[in-house]
């Protein structure tokens, strides 16, 4: 009997897989404190934003504010022409604030402006304004009209160039009256002499300097003929500080605060928008509301500045 020997079997040991381990969570990044570079970066951004804001506001005052002024004058002229044609122009007090009361023309300056009732900063954004405590234009007594020298069209910008003997024409609901310039001068801001009643005359008042003046420039003119028929007068006390040309409209502070907050929120929203969208669509969405809010901030800030600026 033959025995068949089988070859010995060898066992190959396979390495055991490593024991399962739970993935380790990355350690949270340590928060870096604010250093000098961060402070400088924020400071540069803030300075740039402030510079752009101030430059934009000056541009608004000197140039862009003339656009709403011209639009307001066009509307006032249409309204006053209609009222003159139908004998509806005001000749008696009380008169609604902001209503047109006269046409002021100075041929030597090429001036043709609609005068409104009231002389605060808000009213003078639309046209020269009558001091409410003074006489109605053209009627007996001293009529005082204030106007801006630089901003919102600067209707009284060239008032200082008038000379004695030149003519001023007023057209009101009671008729037309021509005045002759008698003197041109300046007064310190603390001197109220320019607002004192002194017979039948017309006094035009603006700021003595185009930008940083603290006094008043005035033009005094006397009528060439008898004054127009006097309408009903409502007695009033002394004028408020806001009506005398060198102060702003304090009521604008609340509106300025609201629109400044709106502008800040829109700016923060714009930052978020640019992080989530492409630049093109983000600009299209962000620019219109930002421009509108900035314009309203500028407008209310201008109301806080001297009325005859």
């Amino acid at each position: 009997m033959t025995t068949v020997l089988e070859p010995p079997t060898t066992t190959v040991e396979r390495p055991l897989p490593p024991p399962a381990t739970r993935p380790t969570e990355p350690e949270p990044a340590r928060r870096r404190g604010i250093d000098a570079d961060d402070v400088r970066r924020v400071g540069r951004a803030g300075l740039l934003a402030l510079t752009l804001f101030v430059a934009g506001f000056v541009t608004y005052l000197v140039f862009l504010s003339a656009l709403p002024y011209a639009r307001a004058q066009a509307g006032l002229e249409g309204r006053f022409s209609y009222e003159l044609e139908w004998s509806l122009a005001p000749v008696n007090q009380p008169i609604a604030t902001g209503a047109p009361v006269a046409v002021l023309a100075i041929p030597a300056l090429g001036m043709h402006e609609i005068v409104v009732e009231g002389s605060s900063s808000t009213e003078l954004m639309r046209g020269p304004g009558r001091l409410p405590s003074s006489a109605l234009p053209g009627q007996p007594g001293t009529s005082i009209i204030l106007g801006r020298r630089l901003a919102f069209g600067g209707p009284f910008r060239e008032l200082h160039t008038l000379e004695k003997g030149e003519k001023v024409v007023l057209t009101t609901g009671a008729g037309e009256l021509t005045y002759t310039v008698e003197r041109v001068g300046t007064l310190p801001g603390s001197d109220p002499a320019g607002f004192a009643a002194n017979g039948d005359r017309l006094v035009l008042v603006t700021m003595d300097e185009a930008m940083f003046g603290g006094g008043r420039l005035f033009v005094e003119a006397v009528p060439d003929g008898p004054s127009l028929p006097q309408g009903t007068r409502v007695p009033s006390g002394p004028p408020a500080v806001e009506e005398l040309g060198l102060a702003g409209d304090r009521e604008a502070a609340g509106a300025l605060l609201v629109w400044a907050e709106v502008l800040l929120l829109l700016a923060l929203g714009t930052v978020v928008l640019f992080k989530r969208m492409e630049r093109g669509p983000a600009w299209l969405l962000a620019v219109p509301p930002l421009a509108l809010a900035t314009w309203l901030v500028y407008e209310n800030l201008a109301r806080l500045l001297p009325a005859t600026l």
Side-chain angles (χ1 to χ4, degrees), residues 192-266:
F195 300 101
N198 186 22
D200 294 351
R201 63 177 184 148
L202 172 68
V203 181
L204 306 178
V205 180
T206 191
M207 187 173 281
D208 62 347
E209 296 291 341
M211 196 67 178
F212 302 107
R216 297 181 180 90
L217 170 75
F218 70 91
V219 172
E220 184 176 328
V222 294
D224 290 352
S227 297
L228 302 173
Q230 182 170 349
T232 303
R233 296 282 297 276
V234 176
S236 61
V241 174
E242 292 84 358
E243 297 174 329
L244 299 180
L246 296 182
D249 189 346
R250 289 178 293 182
E251 294 182 0
L256 174 61
L257 180 61
V258 170
W259 285 112
E261 291 175 350
V262 170
L263 179 60
L264 178 59
L265 291 174
L266 287 172

Side-chain angles (χ1 to χ4, degrees), residues 111-137:
M111 180 190 295
H112 179 91
E113 303 288 337
I114 306 298
V115 179
V116 300
E117 177 71 1
S119 57
S120 75
S121 181
T122 301
E123 276 75 59
L124 266 58
M125 287 180 171
R126 304 174 66 232
R130 179 187 81 96
L131 181 67
S133 59
S134 69
L136 291 171

Side-chain angles (χ1 to χ4, degrees), residues 72-92:
Q73 279 284 301
L76 289 168
E77 184 165 19
R79 172 181 169 180
F80 197 59
S81 297
Y82 174 83
E83 292 178 349
L84 287 176
E85 181 179 358
W86 293 96
S87 301
L88 299 174
V91 294
N92 299 302

Side-chain angles (χ1 to χ4, degrees), residues 29 63 132 142 152 280 299 307:
F63 302 106
T142 300
F152 294 92
E299 183 179 90

